[in-house]
């Protein structure tokens, strides 16, 4: 059983749901990303998605596009991110998942990418523009290296759900909304039904992401899914850190980091078993 | 496009049907046969027919020269098709004495005797292959066709004998065929059956829209595919099914033909550029005048196709990306025509560079949304269009403007653009009696190039040259020479050549021409480059600017800056080639939209 699946199992035994935050690596610097990830682990993040910055992030809205641009402008490239993961691995309890577009993986080499992921201690990989039909080589490389290639299921997947689940590893990433990443005020009313539908096809845990940005939404999703993924709402709070850093105001950097972590903690809280102490 | 001839017509009803279906040739049999007619009967039959009629082909067996000339005159024949033992000398004499084309029918022996066909290559305009007994309605062994082509060189080949609606598709799928000839295959009880004629014509036209690449996975060799978010996968699968269904639907085919013809003004002419040819002093240069299309570029061909598809599949709303604005304008145009709501994504930078086109789009009711991410050009406009599509996939049709994007788009756009090559093929055969030696087209995403290349892919004798924009030079960082300098990578849903750094970050492209300013290229071009079926060469901004002025000055044709790249390659190439070498250039668009940029580049002239 993979480390990610074990994480979910432990949570389930405690009646708890997974909190899965996302940050873009190197935004605004590798150093700050590293600090934020350590803090997220400390406040109880169960799986942490680490975004590899990319020039053309097709599945992302403006918030994460801006984060990627900040990281790339700071000169952050794939080896920097992998080195960061290597340093973090022994220090964090959370499972670590690399979120990357397909082209950086292709240029690195598919086989080599999964080998490197294993070697630096990543537990899973998400490639949003690599649909099942193009995944054959990546699935094999993932299995060989014991790194989960986590599939996405969309609101439009319908007849495709069965085959997506059949090839799934780690957990199923259930896309909450039509569209790109970014906070939305309301969740689709069909969401519980979509998750239930996915669960009919798999025993893997199901986590919901895209558009989730409030503790109330996390609580609602926690009632029917196994995990909640929060990206843009956190990344939006990296913006002020970047601004403070650019202005050389280190006190403000610390303050904004604290605000981000407090917000993250508020997202995890409703996912703990009722009455549990934080 | 495969030419269609229906033979043995005796009635006005059948003749009118052929006009309605726009068959290319109608055959009248003057030799002894149950379908025999006289010159006078034909004259009556075709009386008071308008200009738009199929060409008249007279079928003869060992007829005398005098009688041939008389019948040709009376029956208003355009082609004399000879089935007897007419010698090459006789054919030459006949061709010299009439204004008609002369076709030699040949009973395929499938042995050494077929080599005798070689003697006819210079004295007739086409060869019609039939079984050795002629007119019996039986097939000859089609496997002999490639060997026969060696004897007939570049002459158009018509296939006759035993064709009917149910086997013509097989012929066209397996053999390169310039034309098909049918008679008994469209008859019921010895009489022409109008329904069968229609079925036959429809089948041929459908076959012209099918292809060998891409494969089931949407791959052209190793390139192509569907690298998109899961949210779009169902929509792409649906699009594939809709495309298969509707492009076989006679109503769709007919409507597309109608709009291409009466709305866009097709066929566009193939113009012999005499002044340019003389100036360059080498190869003979023809221009395929896509600039004469409505909206001034080839983009409308594809927009009419995809717009009709959107309409027929019940979508009310379309989106598009645009660089120079030509595709945006074509999409806005078709949306106005078909009553669709239209949103166009355009890089903020390009909006500034192409104000005129932005105004045109708005005038026709389109909404223009600036793409403010990344380099603020075509690449980013495409990103924004895809992101928007992900969110509105359920009610929105995405009209991609080039042979790029995830499968099935590169195939769809190519199929809608192949009309450029189909027409070119037919026109050059009419004008020169043979295929061109070289075809040159500019390549950004590559839709006009793919359109003109595609019908010639199997003609090994035709050199295909794609011209990339190398901006300020391939030794600088400001270029768009994707095949020359890129590596395989993924952009906009497709695996293809891509300008990128060692970690796969997409690098910005540069070209003075906004339409070529793109870091990727259509995946089929990547495949053609890898298999060496086509070659791709770079042309700089400066070279393009020179050709822009040259063509304006000596031919009175202002080419688009994109097309000027293709012209620039011809300027280099033609002088090195002999005078009997034929080059066809795709003049993909007109240059009015570019006069501002050109004036600026030439030294701050205000326009």
């Amino acid at each position: 059983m993979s480390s990610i699946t074990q994480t979910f199992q432990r949570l389930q035994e405690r009646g708890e749901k997974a909190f899965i935050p996302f940050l873009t690596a190197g935004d605004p610097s590798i150093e700050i990303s590293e600090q934020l990830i350590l803090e997220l682990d400390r406040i109880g993040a169960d799986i942490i998605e680490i975004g590899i910055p990319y020039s053309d992030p097709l599945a992302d809205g403006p918030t994460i596009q801006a984060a990627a641009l900040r990281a790339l402008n700071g000169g952050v490239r794939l080896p920097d991110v992998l080195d960061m993961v290597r340093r973090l691995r022994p220090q964090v309890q959370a499972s670590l998942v690399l979120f990357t577009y397909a082209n950086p993986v292709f240029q690195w080499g598919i086989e080599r990418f999964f080998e490197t992921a294993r070697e630096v201690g990543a537990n899973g990989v998400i490639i949003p523009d690599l649909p099942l039909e193009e995944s054959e080589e990546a699935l094999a490389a993932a299995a060989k290296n014991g790194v989960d290639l986590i599939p996405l299921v969309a609101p439009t997947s319908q007849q495709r759900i069965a085959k997506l689940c059949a090839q799934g590893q780690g957990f199923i990433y259930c896309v909450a909304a039509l569209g790109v990443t970014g906070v939305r005020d309301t969740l689709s009313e069909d969401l519980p039904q979509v998750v239930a539908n996915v669960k009919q096809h798999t025993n893997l845990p199901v986590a919901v992401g895209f558009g989730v940005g409030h503790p109330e939404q996390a609580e609602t999703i926690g009632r029917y899914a196994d995990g909640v993924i929060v990206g843009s709402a956190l990344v939006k709070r990296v913006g002020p850190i970047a601004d403070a850093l650019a202005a050389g105001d280190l006190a403000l950097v610390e303050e904004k980091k604290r605000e981000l972590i407090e917000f993250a903690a508020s997202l995890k809280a409703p996912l703990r078993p009722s009455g549990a102490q934080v | 496009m495969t030419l269609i001839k229906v033979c043995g017509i005796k009635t006005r009803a059948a003749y009118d049907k052929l006009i309605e279906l726009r068959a290319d040739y109608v055959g009248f049999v003057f030799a002894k046969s149950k379908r025999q007619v006289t010159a006078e009967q034909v004259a009556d039959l075709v009386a008071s027919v308008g200009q738009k009629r199929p060409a008249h082909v007279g079928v003869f067996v060992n007829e005398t020269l005098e009688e041939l000339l008389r019948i040709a005159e009376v029956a208003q024949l355009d082609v004399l098709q000879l089935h007897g033992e007419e010698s090459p000398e006789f054919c030459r004499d006949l061709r010299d004495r009439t204004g008609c084309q002369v076709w030699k029918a040949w009973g395929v022996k499938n042995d050494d005797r077929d080599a005798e066909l070689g003697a006819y290559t210079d004295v007739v305009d086409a060869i019609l292959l039939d079984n050795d007994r002629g007119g019996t309605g039986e097939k000859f062994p089609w496997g002999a066709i490639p060997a026969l082509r060696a004897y007939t060189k570049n002459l158009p080949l018509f296939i006759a004998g035993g064709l009917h609606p149910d086997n013509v598709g097989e012929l066209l799928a397996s053999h390169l065929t310039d034309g098909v000839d049918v008679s008994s295959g469209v008859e019921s009880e010895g009489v022409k059956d109008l329904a069968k004629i229609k079925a036959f014509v429809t089948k041929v036209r459908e076959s012209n829209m099918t292809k060998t690449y891409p494969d089931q996975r949407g791959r052209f060799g190793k390139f192509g595919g569907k690298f998109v978010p899961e949210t779009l996968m169902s929509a792409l699968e649906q699009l594939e099914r809709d495309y298969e269904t509707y492009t076989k639907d006679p109503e769709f085919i007919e409507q597309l033909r109608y709009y291409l013809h009466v709305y866009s003004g097709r066929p566009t002419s193939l113009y012999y550029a005499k002044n340019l040819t003389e100036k360059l002093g080498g190869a003979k240069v023809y221009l395929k005048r896509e600039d004469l299309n409505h909206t001034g570029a080839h983009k409308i061909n594809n927009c009419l196709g995809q717009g009709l598809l959107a309409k027929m599949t019940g979508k009310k709303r379309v989106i598009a990306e645009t660089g120079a604005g030509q595709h945006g304008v074509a999409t806005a145009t078709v949306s106005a025509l078909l009553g669709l709501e239209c949103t166009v994504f355009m890089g903020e930078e390009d909006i500034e560079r192409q104000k005129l086109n932005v105004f045109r789009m708005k005038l026709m009711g389109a909404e223009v949304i600036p793409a403010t991410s990344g380099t603020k050009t075509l690449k980013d406009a495409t990103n924004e269009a895809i992101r928007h599509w992900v969110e509105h996939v359920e009610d929105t049709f995405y009209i991609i403007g080039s042979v790029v994007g995830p499968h099935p788009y590169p195939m769809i756009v190519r199929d809608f653009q192949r009309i450029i090559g189909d027409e070119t093929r037919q026109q050059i055969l009419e004008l020169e009696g043979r295929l061109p030696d070289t075809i040159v087209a500019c390549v950004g995403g590559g839709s006009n190039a793919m359109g003109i290349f595609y019908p010639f892919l199997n003609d090994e004798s035709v050199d295909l040259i794609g011209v990339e924009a190398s901006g300020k030079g391939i030794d600088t960082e400001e270029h768009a020479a994707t095949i020359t300098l890129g590596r395989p990578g993924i952009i906009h849903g497709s695996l293809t050549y891509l300008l990128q750094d060692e970690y796969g970050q997409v690098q910005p492209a540069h070209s003075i021409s906004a339409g070529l300013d793109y870091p990727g290229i259509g995946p089929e071009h990547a495949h053609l480059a890898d298999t060496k079926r086509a070659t791709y060469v770079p042309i700089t901004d400066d070279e393009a600017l020179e050709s822009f002025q040259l063509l304006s000055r000596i031919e009175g044709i202002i080419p688009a800056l994109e097309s000027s790249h293709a012209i620039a390659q011809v300027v280099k190439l033609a002088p090195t080639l002999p005078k009997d070498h034929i080059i066809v250039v795709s003049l993909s668009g007109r240059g009015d939209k570019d006069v501002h940029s050109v004036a600026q580049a030439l030294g701050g002239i205000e326009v």
Side-chain angles (χ1 to χ4, degrees):
Chain A
M1 188 185 297
S2 80
S3 137
I4 291 174
T5 319
Q6 281 172 19
T7 300
F8 276 102
Q9 202 171 44
R10 269 199 309 276
L11 290 168
Q12 199 188 3
E13 283 161 9
R14 300 205 296 258
E16 193 173 329
K17 299 302 170 81
F19 170 50
I20 309 174
F22 167 98
L23 286 178
T24 299
D27 170 31
S29 70
I30 285 285
E31 191 187 351
I32 289 180
S33 291
E34 213 164 325
Q35 292 162 0
L36 289 172
I37 289 167
L38 285 169
E39 285 299 301
L40 287 171
D41 182 59
R42 192 182 58 77
I43 58 107
D46 302 291
I47 297 170
I48 300 172
E49 274 187 40
I50 299 172
I52 293 170
Y54 186 55
S55 57
D56 292 74
L58 264 189
D60 285 306
T63 306
I64 295 179
Q65 286 175 39
L69 197 64
R70 286 194 294 264
L72 290 171
N73 288 343
V76 174
R77 295 293 182 270
L78 182 55
D80 307 312
V81 181
L82 295 169
D83 286 344
M84 180 186 81
V85 174
R86 199 196 312 267
R87 286 192 300 274
L88 282 168
R89 180 68 278 171
Q91 307 178 61
V92 298
Q93 298 212 320
S95 297
L96 297 178
V97 170
L98 297 172
F99 181 103
T100 175
Y101 285 86
N103 198 41
V105 178
F106 269 64
Q107 301 312 318
W108 192 260
I110 296 174
E111 180 88 33
R112 179 177 166 223
F113 184 84
F114 282 89
E115 278 168 21
T116 317
R118 170 179 53 78
E119 190 230 311
V120 300
N123 307 104
V125 174
I126 298 172
I127 310 177
D129 57 344
L130 193 73
L132 180 63
E133 283 75 358
E134 305 288 356
S135 296
E136 197 178 331
E137 197 181 341
L139 280 167
K144 190 170 153 195
N145 287 286
V147 176
D148 293 329
L149 179 61
I150 294 149
L152 287 95
V153 170
T156 49
S157 293
Q158 295 160 6
Q159 296 91 326
R160 297 172 48 82
I161 292 176
K163 63 179 174 184
L164 294 174
C165 289
Q167 296 286 340
Q169 302 169 345
F171 67 92
I172 306 289
Y173 190 138
C174 191
V175 176
L178 282 180
V180 291
T181 58
V183 179
R184 287 165 177 81
D185 288 337
T186 51
L187 295 170
S188 158
E189 286 175 11
D190 305 335
L191 206 47
Q193 187 50 49
V194 175
V195 172
N197 193 4
V198 172
K199 281 185 164 287
Q200 281 186 352
H201 291 97
T202 181
N203 292 322
L204 287 174
V206 179
V208 172
F210 277 48
V212 186
H214 306 292
E216 304 76 44
Q217 291 174 326
E219 186 191 359
T220 311
I221 292 168
R223 288 191 208 125
Y224 51 83
D226 304 301
V228 177
I229 303 160
V230 180
S232 296
L234 286 170
V235 172
K236 204 162 75 184
R237 289 167 167 81
V238 180
I241 303 176
D243 294 342
L245 187 69
D249 186 343
L250 296 185
L252 190 58
V253 169
E254 289 310 311
E255 185 187 326
K256 293 296 171 190
K257 274 161 64 182
R258 236 179 352 261
E259 282 178 25
L260 184 152
I261 297 302
E262 277 165 22
F263 172 69
S266 76
L267 293 163
K268 173 65 190 180
L271 300 174
R272 295 184 196 277
S274 40
Q277 297 294 312
V278 178
Chain B
M1 193 75 92
T2 310
L3 298 169
I4 300 171
K5 176 183 167 223
V6 181
C7 205
I9 296 301
K10 294 171 73 173
T11 66
R12 181 62 187 246
Y15 184 81
D16 283 344
K17 191 72 189 172
L18 294 181
I19 294 176
E20 180 199 319
L21 294 169
R22 298 197 193 88
D24 303 286
Y25 298 98
V26 52
F28 301 110
V29 180
F30 298 99
K32 225 166 178 39
S33 152
K34 60 183 174 183
R35 303 185 187 92
Q36 186 175 21
V37 287
T38 65
E40 290 68 26
Q41 281 170 334
V42 172
D44 279 353
L45 196 151
V46 304
S48 72
V49 169
Q51 284 290 315
K52 286 277 167 193
R53 61 163 177 83
H56 292 169
V57 182
V59 176
F60 303 93
V61 179
N62 298 330
E63 190 55 82
T64 62
L65 193 62
E66 291 67 33
E67 188 61 3
L68 276 162
L69 295 177
R70 185 191 74 83
I71 295 175
E73 176 77 30
V74 175
Q76 303 170 39
L77 297 184
D78 305 290
V79 180
L80 306 172
Q81 179 182 319
L82 310 179
H83 275 254
E85 283 85 47
E86 299 86 0
S87 67
E89 296 69 37
F90 182 86
C91 293
R92 181 196 302 273
D93 200 20
L94 180 62
R95 194 161 72 162
D96 289 348
R97 301 271 299 268
T98 70
C100 295
Q101 286 196 8
V102 175
W103 295 1
K104 183 74 184 91
W106 184 261
V108 175
K109 292 23 174 213
N110 207 11
D111 61 28
D112 289 352
R113 287 173 293 165
D114 286 331
E116 291 166 32
L117 249 183
Y120 290 92
T121 49
D122 292 334
V123 294
V124 299
D125 301 284
I127 301 285
L128 184 133
L129 299 176
D130 200 347
N131 73 64
D132 200 20
R133 290 167 302 282
T136 57
E138 289 167 43
K139 277 164 62 176
F140 68 88
W142 291 341
I145 295 174
L148 288 159
R149 263 200 191 276
Y151 303 127
T152 60
K153 306 264 171 57
N154 282 329
L155 272 186
L157 273 191
F158 278 71
I159 306 300
L163 289 178
H164 52 74
D166 295 326
N167 69 0
V168 71
E170 183 197 333
L171 170 74
L172 298 179
S174 52
H175 294 285
L176 186 62
T177 308
D178 302 299
V180 288
D181 183 17
V182 67
S183 183
S184 62
V186 291
E187 289 177 353
S188 293
E189 288 159 27
V191 181
K192 286 286 178 292
D193 180 328
L194 303 190
K196 282 190 182 175
I197 291 177
K198 181 167 184 185
F200 185 85
V201 170
T202 306
K203 194 76 204 175
V204 173
R205 302 236 156 98
E206 269 172 22
S207 299
N208 281 328
M209 297 198 78
T210 60
K211 59 278 129 188
T212 47
Y213 278 112
D215 64 16
Q216 288 287 325
R217 297 170 60 210
R219 294 292 184 117
F220 303 89
K222 68 175 178 181
F223 299 102
K226 288 183 200 173
F227 296 89
V228 294
E230 169 62 23
T231 306
L232 294 179
M233 290 300 285
S234 291
L236 292 173
E237 287 170 2
Q238 184 62 44
L239 176 60
E240 227 177 309
R241 286 191 293 271
D242 288 341
Y243 178 74
E244 289 300 322
T245 309
Y246 285 98
T247 50
K248 289 193 171 108
D249 177 352
E251 195 195 328
F252 178 91
I253 294 170
E254 185 44 42
Q255 280 209 34
L256 181 56
R257 283 173 64 92
Y258 172 81
Y259 284 120
L260 285 170
H261 181 52
V262 303
Y263 188 71
S264 189
R266 301 204 73 91
T268 60
S269 60
L270 183 66
Y271 165 70
Y272 167 48
K274 188 163 170 285
N275 298 340
L276 182 64
T277 300
E278 282 170 6
K279 161 110 185 150
L280 299 176
K284 198 168 179 185
V285 181
Y286 283 90
L287 307 178
K288 178 59 175 164
R289 298 287 310 273
E290 289 302 297
D291 60 315
L292 296 178
N293 273 303
H294 180 43
T295 73
H298 70 291
K299 293 289 183 189
I300 191 95
N301 302 334
N302 169 51
C303 288
L304 282 169
Q306 288 198 51
L308 280 170
L309 203 53
K311 181 97 179 165
M312 285 191 168
T313 53
K315 296 281 202 298
K316 303 262 186 294
R317 184 164 182 270
V318 301
I319 57 169
E321 83 294 336
T322 196
Q326 290 305 98
H327 175 59
V329 166
T331 307
T333 302
V334 169
S335 298
L337 171 71
L338 300 176
L340 298 162
E341 195 191 317
C342 175
T343 302
V344 178
F345 293 85
M346 187 166 183
E348 208 170 39
E349 190 110 316
D350 291 335
I351 288 183
E352 196 50 43
R353 285 197 279 191
Q354 302 283 350
K355 285 189 186 137
L356 178 64
N357 274 344
V358 174
F359 184 69
R360 290 165 83 193
M361 286 184 261
K362 289 182 175 168
L363 205 54
M364 290 183 285
E367 183 192 8
V368 180
I369 297 184
T372 55
S373 58
T375 54
K376 304 180 174 65
T377 58
L378 176 58
K379 163 180 89 82
D380 307 283
T382 310
N383 285 341
E384 288 309 324
I386 294 175
R387 287 180 185 125
H388 182 93
W389 195 35
V390 174
E391 190 150 355
H392 300 90
V393 62
E394 284 166 332
D395 67 350
T396 299
F397 191 104
Y398 180 16
I399 300 188
I400 289 188
S402 193
V403 287
V404 301
H407 177 69
Y409 279 107
M411 166 183 82
I412 290 179
V413 177
R414 174 199 70 193
D415 289 354
F416 287 141
Q417 290 293 3
R418 67 168 291 171
I419 190 160
I420 306 171
D422 285 329
E423 285 178 8
T424 299
R425 193 183 176 90
Q426 190 175 343
Q427 288 166 328
I428 199 75
L429 287 173
E430 277 164 17
L431 290 165
E432 294 279 351
R434 68 179 185 91
L435 296 180
D437 301 293
T438 305
I439 296 177
V440 181
C442 65
V443 182
S447 68
N448 91 85
M450 212 52 242
I452 196 166
F453 287 177
Y454 188 62
F456 295 93
L457 288 184
N458 294 327
D459 300 300
E460 295 289 334
S461 68
V462 182
D463 265 348
L464 307 174
I465 301 178
V467 183
E468 302 192 310
S470 58
K472 297 188 175 162
I474 51 173
D475 46 358
T476 72
E477 297 209 328
E478 294 179 66
H479 61 79
T482 311
I483 286 193
T484 309
L485 294 170
R487 294 195 320 278
I490 294 164
I491 184 167
H492 299 141
S494 191
L495 176 60
T496 184
Y497 278 92
L498 175 64
L499 299 178
Q500 56 185 326
D501 74 8
E502 64 171 312
Y503 298 113
Q505 306 291 343
V506 178
Q507 284 179 329
H510 166 84
S511 167
I512 190 171
S513 132
L516 304 183
D517 193 351
Y518 185 66
I521 189 170
E524 192 163 11
H525 285 295
H527 176 63
L528 294 177
D530 259 24
T531 55
K532 308 228 179 335
R533 177 61 193 96
T535 47
Y536 295 83
V537 297
I539 285 288
T540 64
D541 288 351
D542 288 346
E543 291 168 326
L545 276 169
E546 255 177 55
S547 296
F548 181 95
Q549 297 169 79
L550 175 69
L551 198 71
S552 303
R553 205 166 52 240
I554 68 171
E555 291 288 356
I557 296 171
I558 303 176
L561 271 175
E562 289 79 12
S563 324
S564 302
H565 285 72
I567 301 291
Q569 178 59 22
V570 172
V571 169
K572 284 185 180 177
L573 194 62
T576 68
L577 296 165
K579 288 191 173 4
D580 61 352
H581 190 102
I582 299 172
I583 301 180
V584 175
V585 199
S586 174
L587 194 73
S588 55
R590 54 189 294 162
D592 305 46
K593 69 181 175 59
D594 295 314
V595 291
H596 275 285
S597 331
V598 172
Q600 231 167 29
L602 293 181
I605 308 163
E606 284 293 321
V607 179

